[in-house]
Amino acid sequence: MGNCFGIRIATSSLNSCKGVAIIGTNQNVLPIYLRETEFIEKIVDDIYRRLHVPLRGVLPLLIGMDYSIKFVTSWLKDGSSDTGDILTISGIGGIGKTSLAKYIYGLHFREFDTCSCIEDIGRRCVNKFNGLLNLQEQLCYDISIRTSAQVHDISVYTSKIENAISRKKMFLVLDDIDSLDQLDALLGNKGVYPGSKVIITTHETSLIESCALFRTKNKPKHAKHELRGLCETDSRQLLCNHAFMSSNPKDGYGEVIEKLVKYCEGHPLALKVLGKSLHDKDLAYCEGQIKLLKKENGTPISSVLRTSFDSLPSEEDKESFKHIACFFVGMDIDVTETILHACNINTSVVFRNLIDRCLIGIGWNNELVMHQLLQEMGKFIVRKESLHKPWKRSRLCCHDESLEVLKRKTGTKNIRGLTLDTRMLKNEKLRDTSELETNALSKMDNMILLQLNFVKINGSYEKFPKELRWLCMNGFPLKCIPSDLPMENMVVLDMSYSNIESFGVSYSNPQKPLMRQKLTRSCSKGKKLIGSLKILNLSYCEHLRSLGGFDGLPALERLIVRNCIGLVQVCESIEQCAKLLIIDMSYCKNLEKGPTIDKLNVKTLLLDGCNLGESRISIRNIDSPKMFKVNNLVMDSKISSSAIPSDTKFFRISLPRSLVILSLANNNLSNESFPMDFSCLSMLKELCLDHNPIISLPNCVISLPMIEKLAMRDCHMLRFVEHPPRTLTHLDLRIVEDYHERSLVHVAFDPEMSPLRLSLAWNSLAPPSFQIEGVVKIQPMTDVEEKVLCSLGWINFDFLNQMHVKIGYIYPDLKEFVIQVCAS
């Protein structure tokens, strides 16, 4: 038997603007709202769900898909199978597979203990070596698989995923699968837990039953659903919705709309994109579009997409679209904006124009997304500049063509952007044997975008393109950045996964152990000024020991050094980076000296997995010399390092009051590791303390005056969360890894709390002693008055003293509890 709770909503709670809700795991979360209007809205939404009606204002309107919605919903509700069920939704690109899958997911994900929707799998893997690993990481996060170590092996993630999928009921959507490798990595081969549902969208249905999952004894039940084009009536409505914000055409537009509907042949993406391009346009313009479409060769969808591109209002929009299609799909939109802005592009206007025409979108992780057909169209437009002579094009985004041009040294001034990742070459023999000369780029004077990942390149960098704005050289083989590399105009430098040992620091005695050397403000003396660089990414550089030379980076806004496991010290010259906003030093496990940033205007600081719990941590309040108790050691905020015992590993970092986001996840921090007061962080809004052995809410958190989001996921020793700040709007206490021990027993809120979304795992509600004081209390039904139970519909009470409920999650050993109720 599953979790069974009676729910009582006291009328007194409603009168005092209080409400109650049960909270679920992962996305299956119903928020606790403390105001009457919002609470009533949640009740109405629940009624909508029970009637299988889309939530108002949440799910999009899918025109012409009523039959498909009913079919998939019926499959989802079918519980007759004794195995997990897989549904394949197939159809041509742009036909609506993703829209249908996301709609069903949004409508029904609350009905499952665990769920995940992974979008654009095919495109996120293509030409990206770590694409599949990133998808696995997202899936693990969604289904609550936590690990204290960073995983860089696909097989390790696959093992974790398949164990979870085979042991727990869940709802998964895997969108845009296009290879067996993707299926095997995301589903494994141990089977799907009975009652689980997996929706897969793909162009190739034959892939599904060829994966490892279907070669097991208990292979899942497989259903298929193919999407076809819309009928004329639905096509007309979809086109008019985007063109006129109405189901019907404007007066006088009927004939031209009919012609456009017939041309699109029921293709939803073509209708949507074309409709957007006609919005607020006069009749003459619409008639002109018909003439343009008739001139185009190829399929209706390709012609529509091309005319939508041609209708962009400026050359700047078109150039930006081609840049994005060739280089930036999947990249963080803020990073892309920084690069394009440095190319003299008005990104605020361009992005708005591209988004308004549905040519680009923004993904779940703030990354740029583009429909695969649109990206292919953008690349084809570039290819048509010179079909058989790639060196005459403006951009080279085919890895094999890029390698050929560089080997033959045929590059010209026409080329503005080039990408080459040797791991993506079709000929595997060339991946490890191809060596290039730096002078292969000497004629490309107008190059502004360059990506050379895992490329063996030799020679002087003196004649490297001097107009570069973006240089990405993952896997750079040298131990330091060449002094003759032109960086005068560069705004983004990405040297991740490289052999670099130091950045901007030189020593007179290279034989002297680094950890005994002192980095000072003058450590970068003599280094050239890189006045334009805004983003520096040196992540996963395992040999990087030191960071300095910041006085030569006055424009630096982002410093990203994730997983630099050899990094020991950061030079004090970082104080001179007055524009620095984001620092990510996650999993720099051997860092002995944190960045001196208390006088800077840093907004985001990420220190996940830095082994802070093994240190005695001092966090200085810059306003006053307050006393802090740290690991039973009372320290003054201005104490000198000489006062620390010599046998103590001491890590000191001074936090600026400008911080808005701070993450200290996975640091083995106990309650004693925190200072007594965080009130100096007056602007902090988001704090992450996930995966730390804290027992109760640290006192310093309570003192935060502006905190809105607090996460303490997978804090397995957490027992009490009492009186968190009143300003909180999101509190995440999901503890899901250890299914044998339930530690959380008491959560107490201030009666004057703001409306709050509280996330808990369902299994946290199991222990009889668990309470959410002031909002929800869980207690045995035997302790509830009979008149209250009668009001809930209970009639026979004799069985309550004998009846118990067994609750199981992943593990087969069920725990037994008395029947309980949830009350306000």
Side-chain angles (χ1 to χ4, degrees):
M1 184 175 180
N3 289 8
C4 293
F5 298 99
I7 302 177
R8 176 170 64 89
I9 302 172
T11 55
S12 60
S13 295
L14 288 176
N15 292 335
S16 61
C17 299
K18 298 287 179 66
V20 177
I22 298 294
I23 307 101
T25 186
N26 293 333
Q27 290 99 330
N28 190 12
V29 176
L30 291 177
I32 289 181
Y33 281 100
L34 304 182
R35 290 182 180 171
E36 181 177 2
T37 55
E38 293 168 334
F39 179 55
I40 293 174
E41 283 185 6
K42 301 309 293 183
I43 295 176
V44 175
D45 285 344
D46 184 60
I47 294 172
Y48 268 66
R49 282 190 293 272
R50 292 170 187 266
L51 295 176
H52 309 302
V53 177
L55 296 182
R56 307 150 298 153
V58 176
L59 297 176
L61 177 65
L62 295 186
I63 296 172
M65 288 197 175
D66 292 346
Y67 170 76
S68 294
I69 292 172
K70 291 178 181 178
F71 178 90
V72 180
T73 300
S74 175
W75 167 84
L76 199 68
K77 296 292 184 181
D78 183 6
S80 61
S81 175
D82 58 357
T83 65
D85 291 352
I86 291 181
L87 172 67
T88 300
I89 301 176
S90 61
I92 65 173
I95 203 67
K97 303 184 296 296
T98 300
S99 297
L100 175 61
K102 289 172 63 178
Y103 181 90
I104 296 296
Y105 180 82
L107 195 63
H108 296 288
F109 74 88
R110 295 176 181 83
E111 300 166 17
F112 294 81
D113 297 334
T114 305
C115 46
S116 176
C117 180
I118 311 293
E119 296 182 50
D120 299 324
I121 291 172
R123 187 170 65 247
R124 289 166 67 180
C125 289
V126 68
N127 293 339
K128 295 181 180 177
F129 187 74
N130 291 323
L132 190 53
L133 197 67
N134 294 335
L135 293 171
Q136 289 182 307
E137 184 178 8
Q138 180 187 343
L139 180 57
C140 284
Y141 182 89
D142 289 347
I143 63 178
S144 302
I145 298 175
R146 289 291 176 273
T147 176
S148 59
Q150 292 288 289
V151 177
H152 306 291
D153 188 339
I154 288 176
S155 63
V156 174
Y157 265 134
T158 299
S159 178
K160 293 175 178 291
I161 291 170
E162 63 185 4
N163 286 335
I165 290 176
S166 64
R167 295 177 178 178
K168 192 172 185 180
K169 180 180 176 181
M170 58 181 66
F171 180 24
L172 304 180
V173 171
L174 304 180
D175 172 52
D176 188 28
I177 290 285
D178 62 12
S179 77
L180 288 177
D181 291 342
Q182 296 162 6
L183 281 172
D184 291 342
L186 296 173
L187 292 177
N189 61 10
K190 289 190 176 181
V192 181
Y193 191 81
S196 291
K197 300 286 183 175
V198 181
I199 294 178
I200 296 173
T201 72
T202 182
H203 296 283
E204 301 182 49
T205 56
S206 60
L207 284 175
I208 309 307
E209 294 187 359
S210 300
C211 71
L213 193 62
F214 280 85
R215 296 195 292 269
T216 60
K217 293 182 179 179
N218 298 320
K219 64 181 181 180
K221 184 178 178 181
H222 187 204
K224 301 176 182 179
H225 181 66
E226 182 179 1
L227 286 181
R228 300 183 183 275
L230 305 179
C231 67
E232 284 196 14
T233 301
D234 294 330
S235 296
R236 185 185 308 107
Q237 182 181 352
L238 181 58
L239 181 62
C240 290
N241 272 353
H242 289 288
F244 310 118
M245 303 301 173
S246 171
S247 298
N248 299 300
K250 290 182 179 179
D251 292 341
Y253 285 76
E255 184 177 350
V256 70
I257 290 299
E258 292 302 321
K259 292 180 180 179
L260 292 172
V261 165
K262 289 181 180 180
Y263 183 85
C264 290
E265 297 180 346
H267 194 285
L269 180 62
L271 292 161
K272 180 179 179 180
V273 172
L274 183 59
K276 284 284 188 180
S277 69
L278 300 179
H279 182 60
D280 284 340
K281 298 297 189 299
D282 58 28
L283 184 58
Y285 180 89
C286 296
E287 291 173 341
Q289 288 297 98
I290 296 177
K291 295 179 182 179
L292 288 173
L293 290 171
K294 289 181 177 179
K295 291 181 181 179
E296 290 287 338
N297 297 320
T299 63
I301 178 60
S302 62
S303 299
V304 167
L305 299 182
R306 177 59 199 249
T307 55
S308 178
F309 167 80
D310 290 336
S311 71
L312 286 169
S314 71
E315 284 299 317
E316 189 175 60
D317 294 325
K318 296 176 181 178
E319 290 299 301
S320 299
F321 176 81
K322 289 186 283 188
H323 280 325
I324 294 170
C326 291
F327 304 113
F328 300 132
V329 172
M331 184 179 286
D332 184 279
I333 190 171
D334 297 325
V335 175
T336 305
E337 184 176 9
T338 299
I339 297 169
L340 295 181
H341 184 74
C343 299
N344 298 318
I345 292 174
N346 187 345
T347 52
S348 59
V349 174
V350 165
F351 282 1
R352 183 172 66 249
N353 289 337
L354 296 178
I355 291 173
D356 287 348
R357 286 165 174 77
C358 301
L359 296 177
I360 64 171
I362 302 175
W364 71 279
N365 199 28
N366 200 46
E367 78 276 15
L368 271 170
V369 295
M370 180 183 290
H371 194 280
Q372 185 174 355
L373 291 175
L374 290 165
Q375 187 176 13
E376 291 175 356
M377 183 265 292
K379 291 181 178 181
F380 181 69
I381 291 173
V382 173
R383 198 178 309 123
K384 283 182 66 177
E385 296 172 358
S386 179
L387 287 174
H388 305 296
K389 297 179 180 180
W391 56 88
K392 291 187 176 183
R393 300 175 197 157
S394 61
R395 300 161 182 85
L396 287 175
C397 54
C398 172
H399 301 287
D400 292 274
E401 289 181 336
S402 296
L403 177 61
E404 191 66 20
V405 169
L406 292 175
K407 285 178 66 177
R408 294 178 178 272
K409 301 180 181 180
T410 54
T412 67
K413 293 182 178 180
N414 293 338
I415 300 177
R416 302 186 64 205
L418 181 148
T419 178
L420 169 60
D421 190 326
T422 57
R423 299 168 303 176
M424 298 296 118
L425 295 174
K426 295 178 182 178
N427 188 339
E428 294 186 8
K429 294 181 180 179
L430 294 176
R431 296 178 184 176
D432 297 322
T433 59
S434 297
E435 290 196 16
L436 301 174
E437 297 292 330
T438 55
N439 59 15
L441 293 134
S442 61
K443 297 179 181 179
M444 304 181 195
D445 295 337
N446 293 321
M447 177 89 72
I448 56 175
L449 308 171
L450 179 59
Q451 184 177 47
L452 296 175
N453 287 346
F454 299 91
V455 174
K456 297 178 182 178
I457 188 166
N458 304 308
S460 169
Y461 287 81
E462 185 178 356
K463 294 185 178 181
F464 228 59
K466 294 179 172 55
E467 297 298 323
L468 286 177
R469 267 58 171 183
W470 171 56
L471 177 60
C472 179
M473 298 184 75
N474 290 178
F476 187 65
L478 302 183
K479 295 182 179 181
C480 62
I481 296 177
S483 59
D484 55 351
L485 176 66
M487 301 178 66
E488 295 83 4
N489 298 300
M490 202 174 297
V491 293
V492 176
L493 176 62
D494 186 346
M495 292 283 189
S496 302
Y497 301 96
S498 299
N499 292 327
I500 294 175
E501 296 181 354
S502 64
F503 181 87
V505 182
S506 60
Y507 295 98
S508 57
N509 184 3
Q511 303 300 322
K512 190 175 181 180
L514 178 65
M515 62 182 63
R516 296 180 181 178
Q517 299 179 37
K518 184 177 181 181
L519 294 173
T520 65
R521 297 177 188 272
S522 61
C523 62
S524 59
K525 186 176 181 180
K527 298 296 178 182
K528 61 183 179 182
L529 181 71
I530 311 175
S532 58
L533 193 67
K534 293 186 177 182
I535 300 174
L536 175 62
N537 191 346
L538 300 174
S539 298
Y540 299 93
C541 294
E542 296 183 357
H543 304 290
L544 181 66
R545 304 290 306 281
S546 56
L547 277 176
F550 293 105
D551 47 359
L553 307 173
L556 192 66
E557 296 177 358
R558 293 191 183 198
L559 175 63
I560 308 168
V561 286
R562 292 180 63 88
N563 287 85
C564 292
I565 58 176
L567 184 62
V568 177
Q569 296 182 4
V570 179
C571 178
E572 293 179 3
S573 64
I574 196 172
E575 291 181 336
Q576 300 183 43
C577 294
K579 297 183 179 181
L580 193 59
L581 298 176
I582 298 173
I583 299 177
D584 186 352
M585 305 187 75
S586 300
Y587 299 96
C588 295
K589 299 179 180 180
N590 293 306
L591 194 64
E592 293 181 357
K593 184 175 182 180
T596 308
I597 58 173
D598 55 322
K599 297 179 182 179
L600 298 178
N601 197 36
V602 174
K603 302 294 184 183
T604 299
L605 178 61
L606 308 180
L607 294 173
D608 300 359
C610 286
N611 285 342
L612 300 183
E614 297 179 3
S615 311
R616 297 188 184 274
I617 308 168
S618 170
I619 301 179
R620 183 175 63 193
N621 185 327
I622 63 174
D623 292 330
S624 59
K626 293 186 177 181
M627 304 294 290
F628 301 115
K629 183 179 181 182
V630 183
N631 281 0
N632 298 317
L633 178 64
V634 179
M635 297 166 26
D636 185 275
S637 67
K638 293 184 177 179
I639 194 168
S640 66
S641 58
S642 60
I644 308 301
S646 58
D647 60 345
T648 298
K649 179 184 176 184
F650 182 72
F651 181 96
R652 183 185 184 119
I653 182 168
S654 302
L655 301 181
R657 66 162 55 246
S658 58
L659 273 184
V660 176
I661 300 174
L662 174 62
S663 183
L664 300 172
N666 196 25
N667 269 301
N668 198 29
L669 293 171
S670 63
N671 281 76
E672 290 74 22
S673 299
F674 292 90
M676 297 176 62
D677 189 10
F678 258 172
S679 61
C680 59
L681 303 180
S682 58
M683 298 178 66
L684 193 69
K685 292 186 177 181
E686 298 183 25
L687 176 62
C688 179
L689 301 177
D690 293 351
H691 219 293
N692 282 305
I694 51 179
I695 297 175
S696 61
L697 183 68
N699 289 330
C700 60
V701 176
I702 300 174
S703 66
L704 290 168
M706 297 287 288
I707 189 72
E708 295 178 359
K709 296 182 179 180
L710 175 61
M712 292 187 286
R713 285 181 62 123
D714 296 321
C715 294
H716 299 299
M717 297 180 66
L718 186 64
R719 295 182 61 81
F720 308 102
V721 180
E722 297 177 327
H723 307 294
R726 298 180 183 181
T727 53
L728 276 184
T729 59
H730 293 75
L731 177 59
D732 194 342
L733 302 176
R734 284 174 282 182
I735 303 173
V736 294
E737 277 195 50
D738 186 355
Y739 293 87
H740 294 286
E741 298 297 332
R742 315 294 174 197
S743 58
L744 188 61
V745 297
H746 188 232
V747 180
F749 292 107
D750 191 303
E752 303 301 322
M753 283 286 294
S754 302
L756 173 74
R757 178 180 291 273
L758 172 63
S759 301
L760 288 172
W762 277 108
N763 46 24
S764 297
L765 299 175
S769 59
F770 182 81
Q771 294 184 27
I772 306 179
E773 185 178 319
V775 182
V776 175
K777 181 179 181 181
I778 296 180
Q779 63 184 65
M781 289 185 69
T782 52
D783 295 342
V784 181
E785 297 180 9
E786 287 191 7
K787 63 180 181 179
V788 175
L789 294 174
C790 288
S791 68
L792 293 172
W794 292 88
I795 300 176
N796 181 13
F797 306 107
D798 295 336
F799 74 95
L800 289 179
N801 291 323
Q802 293 82 29
M803 184 69 73
H804 290 72
V805 178
K806 287 187 176 181
I807 302 176
Y809 300 98
I810 285 183
Y811 298 102
D813 51 326
L814 305 181
K815 286 196 173 184
E816 190 173 88
F817 299 99
V818 296
I819 295 179
Q820 303 165 63
V821 295
C822 177
S824 61

